[in-house]
Amino acid sequence: MKNLQMVDLKGQYLPIQDEIDTLIRDCIDSTQFINGPQVRSFENHLSEFLGVKHVIGCANGTDALQIAIMAANLPKGSEIIVPDFTFIATAEVVSLLGYIPVFADVDYNHFNISPKSIESAVSAKTSAILPVHLFGQSCNMELIVKIAEKYNLKIIEDNAQAIGASFLWANGDKQKLGTIGDIGCTSFFPSKNLGAYGDGGAIFTNNDELAHKIRILCNHGMETRYYHDEIGVNSRLDSIQACVLEVKLKYLPSYNQARYDAASLYKQMLKDVDEIVLPEESKYSDHVYHQFTLKITNGQRDQLKTYLDEQGIPSGVYYPVPLHKQKAFAKNPSRTSDCKHSIQLSKEVISLPMHTELNEEMIRFITGKIIDFFQK
Ligand SMILES: *Cc1c(COP(=O)(O)O)cnc(C)c1O
């Protein structure tokens, strides 16, 4: 089968081409490329969608995390607890700003930071927790919020991979991810669930004072032109990207549903393969399947990857090296608790194509080849 892709951005674009092209053309006509009205309009729509008071666009998800940490005003050199199993950006910005990343283990079942591991990593120097809602579903926010309250820690959510998903509180309330902590962050990298046609990111908060500070930090620490109150950065969501996101936000629930349906079909097709542990959905979260990630338990993950490559089926290993084993953190101060699940996952995980245009024929083909591999 030709044309299998991890993510099919062209296929997703075609049905909305007219809408997107019109907005982009209008934006070019207006020449308001920076801070155009499109940016505010998208921020307002996203804040409505998420049920959060403030959405502040910025240049990418990594900047969103950096600016969130800058705004949180944490004690210099303090420790920030991050999952050991995530994309580097989460911990990179912690070190970049002179804080100390403390790597906590994740739960084997859900890939997300383990509340137990967070609590055992807390020290007198801990100032914040940075949970990542990995692969499309929520961390256990009920427990994480309790730990944060007990030790007086800030929560900054990295919601680059689960936009649109909600956390289900024990009392039955639902709350969109990224709006639970003090500050939430997301990325609009093209392959994310809500992806732009270039880089983009956003920061969320319900706190007026933090929102004000975040807006200023994004724009050179400047409120009044050429008067600088903080050392800030230049990090803006540009108007053309806001046009793309404005259109795609309307379709986000249907995009996330399409991913969910694809995941359900994958699971049905692969349920009888003993060597595979399928992704498990937690009771307290929706799943928007940013990734569809298998665990291969017989030690043949790398062989399977090579086999899929040969069959023209793309796949990805997210992530092959736990953060505490990355060279970058050997050269910079960090602290690690026992991360045995993270180590095990880095050897077992493989992610299959996952996007809004996956159809039954593709999934049957992909899963058929995987079944063949294990029957050989
Ligand atoms: C993609 C991603 C980021 C960074 O986003 P960029 O827009 O690429 O800077 C941060 N954290 C996680 C978990 C991500 O998946």
Side-chain angles (χ1 to χ4, degrees), residues 59-65 86-90 132-134 158-161 186-189 191-192 199-201 290 319:
N60 56 68
T62 309
D63 276 7
L65 291 164
T86 177
F87 181 53
I88 182 90
T90 314
V132 179
H133 305 301
L134 203 71
D158 180 343
N159 195 27
Q161 298 193 5
T186 201
S187 161
F188 303 124
F189 186 82
S191 64
K192 301 285 156 102
D199 277 310
H290 176 60
Y319 299 92

